[in-house]
């Protein structure tokens, strides 16, 4: 949603869908610490608006091209089913 809303997105160190979440579209942290997240938030807030706009625009277009809400919702439903012991 942040990508489609053209808002900055900061993600943790896990690998995600690289078509959507990559160095051109999101900011990342190297650890999962609150301190590093706070530092990254401050870093992004200090960036010139144009630098933020360039990245959020790339994120918007990546999401518009590659995101599939129905496909992703189906993945979540399957995960919930596994946790509940139900087959979907």
């Amino acid at each position: 949603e942040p990508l489609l809303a053209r808002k900055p997105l900061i993600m943790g160190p896990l690998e995600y869908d690289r078509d959507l979440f990559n160095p051109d579209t999101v900011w990342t942290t190297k650890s999962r610490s609150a301190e590093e997240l706070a530092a990254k938030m401050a870093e992004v807030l200090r960036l010139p608006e144009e630098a933020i706009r360039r990245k959020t625009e790339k994120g918007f277009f990546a999401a518009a091209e590659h995101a599939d809400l129905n496909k992703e919702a189906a993945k979540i439903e399957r995960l919930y089913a596994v946790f509940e012991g139900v087959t979907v």
Side-chain angles (χ1 to χ4, degrees):
E1 289 113 3
L3 296 179
L4 290 172
R6 292 181 167 101
K7 299 297 180 192
L9 176 59
I10 300 171
M11 299 183 68
L14 300 175
E15 288 293 320
Y16 297 97
D17 183 344
R18 300 293 288 171
D19 288 338
L20 294 174
F21 310 113
N22 61 67
D24 290 332
T25 60
V26 301
W27 288 266
T28 57
T29 61
K30 293 182 178 160
S31 73
R32 298 175 72 187
S33 76
E35 294 82 11
E36 186 180 358
L37 176 58
K40 185 62 72 169
M41 291 169 72
E43 174 187 325
V44 171
L45 288 171
R46 286 191 302 267
L47 290 172
E49 286 185 35
E50 180 59 25
I52 294 171
R53 190 193 66 72
R54 278 193 306 270
K55 190 171 277 206
T56 57
E57 282 296 306
K58 288 179 182 179
F60 171 81
F61 287 110
E65 182 177 344
H66 299 289
D68 183 337
L69 181 59
N70 291 328
K71 180 179 163 186
E72 298 307 315
K75 286 181 188 176
I76 292 169
E77 286 178 346
R78 285 193 299 276
L79 284 173
Y80 280 132
V82 168
F83 292 133
E84 294 174 352
V86 176
T87 305
V88 175

